[in-house]
Amino acid sequence: MNADLKIDRKSIIMAITEEGGVGPRMFQQLLMRLGAPEDFLTAAYPDFEDIPRLGEKGIARLKESLDNVNVFASRLKSYESDGIGVTTYLDHDYPEILRKIDDPPPVLYYKGDID
């Protein structure tokens, strides 16, 4: 992995939603069961087994996406240099109106001012 890349929660959330097949409801389940996205990286296979509707294939896909989080850290860095913003449900700048819906998207990509 490139030493210049910073693995942070945005990269983790990007990885699990884009590659791991995690949607809004599953994202909320993961947060409730495992804690912060940073904790997903160290979670073992059994930690995911009790999560409803995940199943063996879902766990494998999720774990693979977490193994590839450095790809998303690189992508995030590229997005920033291209003027593309990324915010997640856990960020302070996430739109409040979206927080109030039943299944808010875990990650948003935008160009320009998020306001």
Side-chain angles (χ1 to χ4, degrees):
M1 184 169 93
N2 185 334
D4 294 335
L5 292 179
K6 177 183 163 193
I7 302 299
D8 62 6
R9 76 175 36 183
K10 285 184 185 183
S11 305
I12 297 165
I13 296 171
M14 288 169 59
I16 66 171
T17 57
E18 289 185 37
E19 189 177 290
V22 171
R25 288 185 185 194
M26 183 61 64
F27 180 67
Q28 295 299 327
Q29 285 287 321
L30 289 169
L31 290 174
M32 288 189 305
R33 302 280 178 129
L34 301 174
E38 295 84 351
D39 297 333
F40 301 177
L41 293 172
T42 56
Y45 188 94
D47 297 323
F48 296 100
E49 288 181 320
D50 291 335
I51 298 175
R53 300 181 317 275
L54 192 54
E56 286 185 36
K57 288 183 181 180
I59 294 171
R61 183 175 178 189
L62 180 57
K63 292 291 285 171
E64 185 175 333
S65 72
L66 291 168
D67 289 343
N68 295 324
V69 73
N70 59 326
V71 170
F72 293 90
S74 177
R75 190 175 298 171
L76 181 60
K77 190 172 182 176
S78 175
Y79 286 169
E80 289 171 357
S81 66
D82 291 340
I84 299 169
V86 178
T87 190
T88 74
Y89 180 80
L90 301 175
D91 294 329
H92 72 281
D93 61 347
Y94 189 88
E96 282 304 313
I97 195 164
L98 289 177
R99 284 188 202 279
K100 295 176 183 176
I101 66 173
D102 286 338
D103 298 324
V107 63
L108 297 173
Y109 302 88
Y110 62 93
K111 189 100 170 158
D113 186 358
I114 194 165
D115 293 325

